[in-house]
Amino acid sequence: MVSNTRVILIGAGALVFLAFVAVVELRTLDRAGDHTRYFGRSVAPLLWEVNAETAHEYVELMLDSYALRGVEIVHDDGSPFVGALARGEPGRVERILRAVWLVRDRTIESNIVYREQTIGALRVTWVNRNVFLYVGALLVMGVLHGVLESLVLSWRSLRARERAERALAESRVRLHSVVSSTPVILFALDAEGRFTLCEGLGMEKLGWREDQPVGRKLEDLPGFAASSVKDYRRAMAGETFTSTHESEGVVFDTWHAPLRDADGHVTGVIGVSTDITELRRALGALEERDRNVRRELALAKSIHRTLMPTQRPRLEGCDFGMLFVPSGDVGGDFVDFFPFDEGRRLSVLFADITGHGVPAALLSAMFKVLINDVLHRNAHLPLATNVYELNRRVAVEFPPCNFASTFCLVLEARTRRLTYVNAAQEPALLLRADGTTVLLETGGPAVGLIPPDPSLNPGYAEASLELGAGDTLFLYTDGLVEIADDGGRELGRDVLVEWLRAELARDPTAQALVDGIYARVLDYAGVKELPDDVAVVAIRGSN
């Protein structure tokens, strides 16, 4: 604000000074022209009579009277009549000013007319010494500028003080209104521990009247714990802190700070006590709710784990590897093995059910029941038919907007012929012994996603192929591959296939393959555990 005022005043002063200079220069030029014409009329008779002696005396008088630089009178043909220059050299100051063009000469010529006839001309060289006038004007303006600036600053300071006093008064009213209507106590204590200020609705919680505390000591008031006296002494020692105390069933959170004088000496204590009784109760309720949620999650995890197989299946001509790692939360990954036809065939089901937590665990339990009721009981039916029936049951019995991406396969012993349906699950990878890789993608939409209406549901397709000796089938849920490294690069299927080939070259057993891939994924993500559930099954054809 001060700098803005100074800039405005300087700018205004500069404009005034420039206007003053312009006016003075114009008036100086006008006066020089008027005097020159006057001189011309005065010497006209002398030039007509060719009275050179008298004319020369008049010229000398002009030089002395007006401090001119030079005067010259010429005839009408330009021949000189009389002339003279100023006697002596300019002073040192004037020479310096002339060098920087602050003092300068100006020659003004006027025709000499006598009896309505131009008989010659008068040339007068005037010296412009207005710079001295301008210096004086600047000094005067500097003084005026200082006075004006002081007046403006004083006026603004007075206005600012008035605004500050009004704002302070309004703040006091607002503070009193807030303090008197909220469950707080605003207090101040002097060096002897006596209240000099005590306001707030929180006083009612302690049974205090509005005028009761002021002038009394802490220990003299009912409902104040002895710990409050200790807090007062801590603040008097120069410490600023917050403490929590309970008194008469009311919990107060109190901020304390020392009051200091101009020399920095502690002269008292100021503080604000806030009634946090309801907050404490609410926090207790939240903590109890959190404990209940944790218990429910633990139960959900327990339910989820009981639904997952704990041992690798067995089937003649095949080697199995299996891994299931649950995340911190309860996810919807689900794996099921079901041997049938007196152990000559094996059903393998992979699913990822929507949701997390207790709902996901309950849906997994429901899905287990549906699998038993549909797939296991009707294992003799075509796989695509069973998956279509499973879709119908899930769409009807699951809550709305819940479904399961599913991969089902049936593997026969000895021949190792497998039939599969992929219902929107991650494509299984079949790594042939000859180095080729086949994606198992044939199937249909996620189970339960589309209602069982022939006009809406295109049905499910199944495909069959042979798992040859040395071939490896790798099934996995999306939690294994939906990860990224520190640079944000996702794992990708091509990298996974490279890792599978490398692990098979190192150790061809199915379980070693599963463990090796999981270790690589953890190292790639730079974590100790993945954020989502991971379920992996590897089936390797053996001789």
Side-chain angles (χ1 to χ4, degrees), residues 127-149:
V127 182
N128 188 333
R129 295 187 177 88
N130 291 339
V131 64
F132 299 104
L133 175 63
Y134 300 151
V135 170
L138 285 175
L139 293 176
V140 173
M141 290 184 66
V143 173
L144 292 175
H145 173 270
V147 173
L148 287 175
E149 184 176 6

Side-chain angles (χ1 to χ4, degrees), residues 92-278:
R92 181 178 180 182
V93 174
E94 184 172 332
R95 289 199 302 272
I96 295 173
L97 294 176
R98 282 180 177 278
V100 294
W101 290 87
L102 293 179
V103 173
R104 55 199 184 282
D105 297 336
R106 184 179 182 89
T107 300
I108 298 177
E109 182 173 334
S110 177
N111 291 331
I112 299 176
V113 179
Y114 190 74
R115 296 179 181 177
E116 298 181 357
Q117 180 181 352
T118 301
I119 61 175
L122 173 64
R123 300 188 184 110
V124 180
T125 302
W126 297 84
V127 182
N128 188 333
R129 295 187 177 88
N130 291 339
V131 64
F132 299 104
L133 175 63
Y134 300 151
V135 170
L138 285 175
L139 293 176
V140 173
M141 290 184 66
V143 173
L144 292 175
H145 173 270
V147 173
L148 287 175
E149 184 176 6
S150 298
L151 291 174
V152 171
L153 292 179
S154 298
W155 177 75
R156 287 187 171 176
S157 177
L158 180 61
R159 292 291 304 275
R161 182 175 179 180
E162 291 176 351
R163 288 195 297 269
E165 289 177 350
R166 286 197 301 270
L168 179 59
E170 293 172 358
S171 298
R172 286 173 176 169
V173 173
R174 287 195 297 268
L175 178 61
H176 178 76
S177 176
V178 170
V179 169
S180 61
S181 59
T182 54
V184 300
I185 302 176
L186 177 64
F187 64 89
L189 301 161
D190 61 15
E192 296 180 355
R194 286 188 171 85
F195 281 96
T196 58
L197 171 69
C198 191
E199 295 182 358
L201 191 61
M203 295 170 57
E204 296 180 2
K205 298 295 184 72
L206 298 175
W208 295 354
R209 299 188 308 275
E210 185 175 354
D211 59 346
Q212 185 178 3
V214 177
R216 301 180 63 180
K217 290 188 176 182
L218 277 171
E219 54 267 25
D220 297 337
L221 292 171
F224 237 68
S227 55
S228 299
V229 178
K230 295 180 180 179
D231 290 343
Y232 164 75
R233 292 171 181 168
R234 285 178 60 187
M236 285 297 295
E239 184 179 353
T240 300
F241 61 95
T242 301
S243 62
T244 302
H245 300 297
E246 182 175 354
S247 178
E248 302 295 332
V250 182
V251 182
F252 282 98
D253 184 78
T254 305
W255 172 81
H256 303 78
L259 282 172
R260 302 179 184 274
D261 59 16
D263 298 325
H265 300 128
V266 178
T267 59
V269 175
I270 190 172
V272 179
S273 293
T274 305
D275 180 5
I276 61 170
T277 306
E278 295 302 322

